[in-house]
Amino acid sequence: FEHRPLARWTLDFLAIDPNDSVVDIGCGGGMAIRMAADDAALVCGIDYSPRMVKQSRVRNRTLIMQERVAIVRGEVSALPFRGGSFDKAYGIETLYFWPDPVADLHEVRRVLRPGGAVALSMDISKEGRDPAAIEDNATRLGFRIYSRAELEGLLRSVGFVGCPPGSCPSRGRAGSV
């Protein structure tokens, strides 16, 4: 429930269309999948944790039976989907843990159709009130945090481009193929 506002913001930002196929990278317990399924034709969730996959499948069992949702175990480094399978991709509070962000973003781009979009949402960044303490805590806990400029640089380095002029809210950016 803690991530619900960020999930809602991310999904609203992506402007999911009723015909869209969407992938949730690091779906956790599946709350955002349920929210995205209200707008999309199909939502596929992927998580590396068997426990989270199970929880997500339980939470979304009706949508799975309706074939509007699929949830699989896997890793962002080797997404188990054909190239060009999705219109939109999102990751909420997950980039911190991606093993190789550049290679992993290439993998995300691979599964997106031309013109597809990705949104990566994170509550923690290097722009926080005490950047040194934030970075120290992240290092001790084994994850990476990014500044907005670093994230934009990662996205650009694999071929994502920014939002069309006037379409990005001041609070974030998404990338398009």
Side-chain angles (χ1 to χ4, degrees):
F1 294 103
E2 177 182 329
H3 298 297
R4 187 177 299 240
L6 185 59
R8 180 76 272 151
W9 180 85
T10 303
L11 298 175
D12 289 349
F13 181 76
L14 274 176
I16 297 169
D17 182 272
N19 297 314
D20 282 343
S21 293
V22 180
V23 61
D24 181 330
I25 303 162
C27 66
M31 182 259 311
I33 288 174
R34 180 179 264 177
M35 295 166 70
D38 288 342
D39 300 318
L42 174 69
V43 181
C44 292
I46 182 167
D47 203 288
Y48 70 88
S49 165
R51 176 179 276 170
M52 290 295 98
V53 169
K54 181 178 180 181
Q55 182 178 337
S56 188
R57 286 177 178 162
V58 167
R59 174 172 276 135
N60 292 288
R61 68 182 163 268
T62 301
L63 293 165
I64 291 169
M65 290 187 313
Q66 295 170 354
E67 298 183 353
R68 296 184 50 227
V69 164
I71 300 163
V72 298
R73 190 201 170 287
E75 299 190 20
V76 65
S77 301
L79 294 170
F81 308 111
R82 288 185 326 229
S85 295
F86 299 99
D87 301 291
K88 310 242 168 92
Y90 64 89
I92 301 169
E93 301 281 34
T94 63
L95 181 66
Y96 310 120
F97 308 104
W98 291 13
D100 182 345
V102 172
D104 299 340
L105 283 168
H106 275 290
E107 185 66 359
V108 171
R109 186 161 186 237
R110 179 188 68 77
V111 302
L112 286 172
R113 293 183 179 112
V118 61
L120 302 172
S121 304
M122 295 164 286
D123 272 339
I124 302 170
S125 80
K126 290 182 179 178
E127 282 91 3
R129 276 196 307 247
D130 188 350
I134 291 170
E135 201 155 3
D136 181 58
N137 284 336
T139 301
R140 283 187 301 104
L141 294 171
F143 64 93
R144 285 179 287 217
I145 58 170
Y146 301 88
S147 68
R148 181 179 181 148
E150 288 170 330
L151 179 55
E152 289 175 347
L154 284 171
L155 289 163
R156 276 193 304 277
S157 77
V158 299
F160 286 106
V161 296
C163 302
S167 69
C168 274
S170 62
R171 189 174 160 204
R173 302 226 182 228
S176 299
V177 176

